[in-house]
Amino acid sequence: MKAFILTVAIIATYFANQSQSATPCEARRFNHDSVVCVCTENYCDTLDPITRTDAGLVKVYESDRAGKRLEVREVRFGNDLPGVDPGRFKNVRVNRDRKFQEIIGFGTSFTDASALSLGRLSADLQTKVMKSYYSNEGIEYSLSRVVISGSDFSNRPYSYDDTPNDWSLNSWRLVDEDINFKIPQMHEAQRQRGSPIKFIGSSWSPPAWMKTNGEINHGGTLIGNTGSDEWKTYARYLRKFFEAYRENGLDFWGMTVQNEPMTGWDPWFPWNTCGFNAEMERDFVKNDLGPIMEEGGFGPDRFNIMVLDHNRPLAEDWANVVFSDNDATKYVKGLAVHWYFYGTAGPYDVYDRIHDKFPNQFILATEACNRNEDDENDRKGLGKWVLAEDYAHDILLDLLHYVTGWTDWNMVLDMNGGPNWVGNNHSAPIIVNPDEREFYKNVQYYAMAHFSKFLPPTSSRIETVPGVEEEGLLELGAFERPDGGTAVIIVNTKDNEEYFNVEDPALGSVKVKVEPHSFNSWVYYR
Ligand SMILES: *[C@@H]1O[C@H](CO)[C@@H](O)[C@H](O)[C@H]1NC(C)=O
């Protein structure tokens, strides 16, 4: 009997340890330069939680184009890399005394396309997706954007009240996509994280009948003006969404006023939109939306309204218009930014200027996605490394310029990079293949991992001297974690390896080799 109990105990311990033990990527190559990691009902790669280690021990996690996926190795302060020419090292000093912005979070988005595609997987695979994103055996997402009714990533255009001229909003109701997909999935995400997720609501279009052009898409704005019954009705329409989700047990952390508001001025714009300029958003928030949300229990003490929710080149003008108005900033907490026009969106130092002028307003990246531009029949680009480099580069540059977090777009998409009711198909960090009972962790998943896993909310960026920022080639940032650990993140998009000699006044210096086309996240403790 004793032997039996001992055996059971050993087996139980073995399995308990197994569940806390990282499992490697099951790599598969499609026709691109890097690999994806395959998850099935029997297998999916996992990570260990980040825990405190001995002072001066550095855990180096590395992913690269050649196929590493968060492979971990240990080095120590005071080490040597024999045979490397001393002139090859880039010397960087970490200065924990100079702190910059705090991290709000990293995450993804509950679009209809994601919710419906995820729903086509078995329950087991759906859980594996949620664990991969939200749990501590995954990448520990802490925030997520939720679409208020439909976007282009839906399989139909709709709003929550498509009864023409229903100004009393009597026909307002949630739809199947919310009730049977988004709401249960958001609960599962919170279960996997084990604590509340910061949910952010964003609307693409009001009901067509509330708009000057009478359509969900194309150019059009809200009928009426700030202070009018029409604008107040739209504010109530939006509030009903947050009330309905609250009744379903889901509290939101905040909202953006309108997704990509400047697209609503384009007469030919193909999908759901509504035009606002900076003055209109400022006035809508201070006179209509802000007070109406507050009356419903979504006041500025606990609910974060963000403006813009559009590309970086617009950021400075919008910040100046909205944040200079004290009645608006009673409700507005931050600026939401998107990354599109990647490469031509202009320098990131607009964010430094905005932060210097309006230090009480945060800047949060609320949307980004990409796709294989070379083949319209292969938008998903499974294993195409540049898709990951675009993410990692933008995230790190944002963080080096006061941005407080980064939100990916579709959580999952199908093998066509859809569904999308206007054919604007894209890639995503996880692509689902329900026919084969598999899903694929695409390269962008690991780009997100290198930040989200290592920078929990309330981590702070700290100074490095000199700053390392060879735009688009090689970038380095350092951060202090809430557990006292230090995280160093490096993005190398060069064809050659790099060598770093990082000095920390508390520990001396450590030498690390960084692979070509790689992401590095290091964690160490004092
Ligand atoms: C987009 O994806 C959907 C499936 O989700 C597919 O039916 C459609 O053909 C795709 N469209 C394009 C333009 O790739």
Coordinates of all heavy atoms in Angstrom, one line a residue, residues 110 130 134 178-179 181-197 199 244-251:
F110 N -11.5 40.9 -30.3 CA -12.6 40.1 -30.6 C -13.4 40.7 -31.7 O -14.3 41.5 -31.5 CB -13.5 39.9 -29.3 CG -12.9 39.1 -28.2 CD1 -12.0 39.7 -27.4 CD2 -13.2 37.8 -28.1 CE1 -11.4 38.9 -26.4 CE2 -12.6 37.0 -27.1 CZ -11.7 37.6 -26.2
M130 N -7.2 29.9 -26.4 CA -7.4 30.9 -25.3 C -6.2 30.8 -24.3 O -5.7 31.8 -23.8 CB -8.7 30.7 -24.6 CG -9.9 31.1 -25.4 SD -9.7 32.9 -25.8 CE -11.3 33.2 -26.6
Y134 N -4.0 33.9 -23.3 CA -4.3 34.6 -22.1 C -3.7 34.0 -20.8 O -3.5 34.6 -19.8 CB -5.8 34.7 -21.9 CG -6.4 35.6 -22.9 CD1 -7.0 35.1 -24.1 CD2 -6.4 37.0 -22.7 CE1 -7.6 36.0 -25.0 CE2 -7.0 37.9 -23.7 CZ -7.6 37.4 -24.8 OH -8.1 38.2 -25.7
D178 N -22.6 38.2 -30.8 CA -22.3 38.6 -29.4 C -22.6 37.4 -28.5 O -21.8 37.0 -27.7 CB -23.1 39.8 -28.9 CG -22.9 41.0 -29.8 OD1 -21.9 41.7 -29.6 OD2 -23.7 41.3 -30.7
I179 N -23.9 37.0 -28.6 CA -24.5 36.1 -27.6 C -23.8 34.7 -27.6 O -23.5 34.1 -26.6 CB -26.0 36.0 -27.8 CG1 -26.6 37.3 -27.6 CG2 -26.6 34.9 -26.9 CD1 -28.0 37.5 -28.1
F181 N -21.0 33.8 -29.4 CA -19.5 33.8 -29.7 C -18.7 34.7 -28.9 O -18.0 34.3 -28.0 CB -19.3 34.0 -31.2 CG -19.9 33.0 -32.1 CD1 -21.2 33.1 -32.6 CD2 -19.2 31.8 -32.4 CE1 -21.8 32.1 -33.4 CE2 -19.7 30.8 -33.2 CZ -21.0 30.9 -33.7
K182 N -18.8 36.0 -29.1 CA -18.0 36.9 -28.4 C -18.1 36.9 -26.8 O -17.1 36.8 -26.1 CB -18.2 38.4 -28.8 CG -17.5 38.7 -30.2 CD -18.3 39.7 -31.1 CE -18.2 41.1 -30.6 NZ -18.8 42.0 -31.6
I183 N -19.3 36.8 -26.4 CA -19.5 36.9 -24.9 C -18.9 35.6 -24.2 O -18.1 35.7 -23.3 CB -21.0 37.2 -24.5 CG1 -21.3 38.6 -24.9 CG2 -21.3 36.8 -23.1 CD1 -22.8 39.0 -24.7
P184 N -19.3 34.4 -24.7 CA -18.7 33.2 -24.0 C -17.2 33.2 -24.2 O -16.5 32.7 -23.3 CB -19.4 32.0 -24.7 CG -20.2 32.6 -25.8 CD -20.4 34.0 -25.6
Q185 N -16.7 33.6 -25.4 CA -15.2 33.6 -25.6 C -14.5 34.6 -24.7 O -13.4 34.3 -24.2 CB -14.9 33.9 -27.0 CG -15.3 32.7 -28.0 CD -15.3 33.1 -29.5 OE1 -14.8 34.2 -29.8 NE2 -15.7 32.2 -30.3
M186 N -15.1 35.7 -24.4 CA -14.5 36.7 -23.5 C -14.5 36.2 -22.1 O -13.5 36.4 -21.4 CB -15.2 38.1 -23.6 CG -15.0 38.8 -24.9 SD -16.2 40.1 -25.2 CE -15.8 41.3 -24.0
H187 N -15.5 35.5 -21.7 CA -15.5 34.8 -20.4 C -14.4 33.8 -20.3 O -13.7 33.7 -19.3 CB -16.8 34.2 -20.1 CG -17.9 35.1 -19.6 ND1 -17.8 35.8 -18.3 CD2 -19.1 35.5 -20.1 CE1 -18.8 36.5 -18.2 NE2 -19.6 36.4 -19.2
E188 N -14.2 33.0 -21.3 CA -13.2 32.0 -21.3 C -11.8 32.7 -21.3 O -10.9 32.2 -20.6 CB -13.3 31.1 -22.6 CG -12.2 30.1 -22.8 CD -12.2 29.0 -21.7 OE1 -13.1 28.9 -20.9 OE2 -11.2 28.3 -21.6
A189 N -11.6 33.8 -22.0 CA -10.3 34.5 -22.0 C -10.0 34.9 -20.5 O -8.9 34.8 -20.0 CB -10.4 35.7 -22.9
Q190 N -11.1 35.4 -19.8 CA -10.8 35.9 -18.4 C -10.5 34.7 -17.5 O -9.7 34.9 -16.6 CB -12.0 36.7 -18.0 CG -11.9 38.1 -18.4 CD -12.8 39.1 -17.7 OE1 -12.5 40.3 -17.9 NE2 -13.9 38.8 -17.1
R191 N -11.2 33.6 -17.8 CA -10.9 32.4 -17.0 C -9.4 32.0 -17.2 O -8.7 31.7 -16.2 CB -11.8 31.2 -17.4 CG -12.9 30.9 -16.4 CD -13.6 29.6 -16.7 NE -14.1 29.4 -18.1 CZ -15.2 29.9 -18.5 NH1 -16.0 30.6 -17.7 NH2 -15.6 29.7 -19.8
Q192 N -9.0 32.0 -18.4 CA -7.6 31.6 -18.7 C -6.6 32.6 -18.1 O -5.5 32.2 -17.6 CB -7.4 31.4 -20.2 CG -8.1 30.3 -20.8 CD -7.8 28.9 -20.1 OE1 -6.8 28.8 -19.5 NE2 -8.7 27.9 -20.3
R193 N -6.9 33.9 -18.1 CA -6.0 34.8 -17.5 C -6.0 34.8 -16.0 O -5.0 35.0 -15.3 CB -6.3 36.3 -18.0 CG -5.4 37.3 -17.3 CD -5.3 38.6 -18.0 NE -4.5 39.5 -17.1 CZ -3.2 39.6 -17.1 NH1 -2.5 38.8 -17.9 NH2 -2.6 40.4 -16.3
G194 N -7.2 34.5 -15.5 CA -7.4 34.4 -14.0 C -7.6 35.7 -13.3 O -7.5 35.8 -12.1
S195 N -7.7 36.8 -14.1 CA -8.0 38.1 -13.5 C -8.6 38.9 -14.7 O -8.6 38.5 -15.8 CB -6.7 38.7 -13.0 OG -5.8 38.9 -14.1
P196 N -9.3 40.0 -14.3 CA -10.0 40.8 -15.3 C -9.1 41.3 -16.5 O -7.9 41.7 -16.2 CB -10.5 42.0 -14.5 CG -10.6 41.6 -13.1 CD -9.4 40.6 -12.9
I197 N -9.6 41.2 -17.6 CA -9.0 41.7 -18.8 C -9.5 43.2 -19.1 O -10.7 43.4 -18.9 CB -9.3 40.8 -20.0 CG1 -8.6 39.5 -19.8 CG2 -8.8 41.4 -21.4 CD1 -9.0 38.4 -20.8
F199 N -11.0 45.3 -21.3 CA -11.7 45.3 -22.5 C -12.0 46.7 -23.0 O -12.4 47.6 -22.2 CB -13.1 44.5 -22.4 CG -12.9 43.1 -22.2 CD1 -13.4 42.4 -21.1 CD2 -12.3 42.3 -23.2 CE1 -13.2 41.1 -20.9 CE2 -12.1 40.9 -23.0 CZ -12.6 40.3 -21.8
A244 N -25.4 46.0 -21.9 CA -25.8 44.7 -22.3 C -24.6 43.7 -21.9 O -24.9 42.6 -21.4 CB -26.1 44.6 -23.7
Y245 N -23.4 44.1 -22.2 CA -22.3 43.2 -21.8 C -22.2 43.1 -20.3 O -21.8 42.1 -19.7 CB -21.0 43.7 -22.5 CG -20.8 43.0 -23.8 CD1 -21.7 43.3 -24.9 CD2 -19.7 42.2 -24.1 CE1 -21.5 42.7 -26.1 CE2 -19.5 41.6 -25.3 CZ -20.4 41.8 -26.3 OH -20.3 41.2 -27.6
R246 N -22.4 44.2 -19.6 CA -22.3 44.2 -18.1 C -23.4 43.2 -17.6 O -23.1 42.5 -16.6 CB -22.6 45.6 -17.6 CG -22.4 45.8 -16.1 CD -22.3 47.2 -15.6 NE -23.6 47.9 -15.9 CZ -23.8 49.2 -15.8 NH1 -22.8 50.0 -15.4 NH2 -25.0 49.8 -16.2
E247 N -24.6 43.3 -18.2 CA -25.6 42.3 -17.8 C -25.2 40.9 -18.0 O -25.6 39.9 -17.3 CB -26.9 42.5 -18.5 CG -27.7 43.7 -17.9 CD -28.8 44.2 -18.9 OE1 -29.2 43.5 -19.8 OE2 -29.2 45.4 -18.8
N248 N -24.3 40.7 -19.0 CA -23.7 39.4 -19.2 C -22.4 39.1 -18.5 O -21.7 38.2 -18.9 CB -23.5 39.2 -20.7 CG -24.8 38.9 -21.5 OD1 -25.3 37.7 -21.4 ND2 -25.4 39.9 -22.1
G249 N -22.2 39.9 -17.5 CA -21.0 39.6 -16.6 C -19.7 40.1 -17.1 O -18.7 39.7 -16.6
L250 N -19.7 41.0 -18.1 CA -18.4 41.5 -18.7 C -18.3 43.0 -18.5 O -19.1 43.8 -19.1 CB -18.3 41.1 -20.1 CG -18.1 39.6 -20.4 CD1 -18.5 39.3 -21.8 CD2 -16.7 39.2 -20.0
D251 N -17.3 43.5 -17.7 CA -17.1 44.9 -17.5 C -16.0 45.4 -18.5 O -15.0 44.7 -18.7 CB -16.6 45.1 -16.1 CG -17.8 45.2 -15.1 OD1 -18.8 45.9 -15.5 OD2 -17.7 44.6 -14.1

